[in-house]
Amino acid sequence: MRIIGLTGGIASGKSTVSKRLNELYGAAHIDADEAAYRIAEPGAPLWRLFVERYGKEKALKEDGTLDRASIGKIIFANPDERAWLDSVSHPLVKEELLRKLEDCRRLGAEAAVLDVPLLYEVGWENMADSVWVVYVSPETQLKRLMERNNLTEELARDRISSQMPLEEKKARADVVIDNNGDLESTNRQIDKAWNEEFSK
């Protein structure tokens, strides 16, 4: 099974790429964000850690689920809190991803897309056979994030600056998908990269 590590920056368009690889080529999609959500459901390991650290008033909504907006403001504004979150969440997420990859192997998948926004930041690029980076310009990234998440410019910049600069990811990538243009242009690049990946 060939594993493509898919990464980029927040709001760079990774989901566009993973969706095409899944729907057109049948590549299994393994999403680190989904894994992170699973471990943060009520009663799950990360949910318990948030409640212990911030108390129910700050960590939870009335229905008992995590108050992600409240937690996000704490995490993205404080490097120490972000470091704490990384130290407790990354091992849990990695365990979930490895379990999913094993499931794909057992089911005989030809390829799997390991969709990890922080692939380089957490040093997991060795989990993949090749790394594809979805790239957009800083201006496009900021605009898309503000629109998508309904954020102020300041909050959007905080989230972008918490990740490795896209220029650095681009320089380290095996494949770069430039997502500044229209969907047709992005799709052409995806198809070319896929065909090259499987002609190796």
Side-chain angles (χ1 to χ4, degrees):
M1 182 175 76
R2 192 153 186 86
I3 302 169
I4 296 167
L6 180 66
T7 192
I10 190 169
S12 64
K14 293 182 300 301
S15 60
T16 300
V17 178
S18 62
K19 185 178 179 190
R20 185 167 182 85
L21 292 177
N22 176 253
E23 291 180 355
L24 190 62
Y25 298 108
H29 181 223
I30 301 172
D31 189 337
D33 286 341
E34 279 181 18
Y37 268 87
R38 273 196 298 277
I39 62 170
E41 288 173 351
L46 192 58
W47 180 93
R48 293 198 302 270
L49 289 166
F50 276 129
V51 172
E52 285 171 16
R53 190 161 183 91
Y54 302 128
K56 289 184 177 180
E57 281 186 14
K58 285 184 182 175
L60 302 181
K61 293 195 277 193
E62 285 184 12
D63 64 0
T65 59
L66 288 178
D67 187 336
R68 294 179 183 277
S70 170
I71 291 168
K73 284 177 184 171
I74 298 168
I75 297 293
F76 287 108
N78 188 325
D80 290 339
E81 291 306 300
R82 182 163 184 82
W84 168 80
L85 175 59
D86 290 348
S87 73
V88 296
S89 64
H90 291 169
L92 294 169
V93 172
K94 188 174 186 180
E95 188 180 320
E96 187 80 4
L97 296 180
L98 289 170
R99 189 177 62 76
K100 285 282 189 186
L101 283 171
E102 198 47 51
D103 287 346
C104 291
R105 281 194 188 92
R106 198 170 57 249
L107 293 169
E110 178 191 20
V113 175
L114 196 59
D115 186 342
V116 185
L118 302 179
L119 188 75
Y120 285 124
E121 288 89 334
V122 296
W124 294 350
E125 60 267 34
N126 292 338
M127 291 172 70
D129 297 301
S130 65
V131 176
W132 294 21
V133 166
V134 185
Y135 175 80
V136 289
S137 69
E139 299 77 24
T140 300
Q141 184 183 22
L142 181 65
K143 181 172 178 285
R144 286 183 184 171
L145 180 58
M146 288 171 67
E147 288 173 358
R148 188 190 77 181
N149 290 33
N150 195 25
L151 296 173
T152 63
E153 183 173 337
E154 184 184 3
L155 283 174
R157 286 189 186 279
D158 280 347
R159 297 195 177 197
I160 290 169
S161 67
S162 73
Q163 298 182 344
M164 182 185 290
L166 260 174
E167 292 294 339
E168 188 176 338
K169 292 186 180 185
K170 180 182 177 183
R172 293 174 63 173
D174 298 303
V175 172
V176 176
I177 305 292
D178 188 318
N179 196 29
N180 283 299
D182 59 17
L183 183 61
E184 190 178 330
S185 166
T186 299
N187 284 342
R188 277 199 304 271
Q189 294 175 69
I190 295 167
D191 296 344
K192 180 174 182 285
W194 176 269
N195 290 328
E196 288 175 357
E197 187 81 33
F198 283 90
S199 66
K200 290 174 183 174

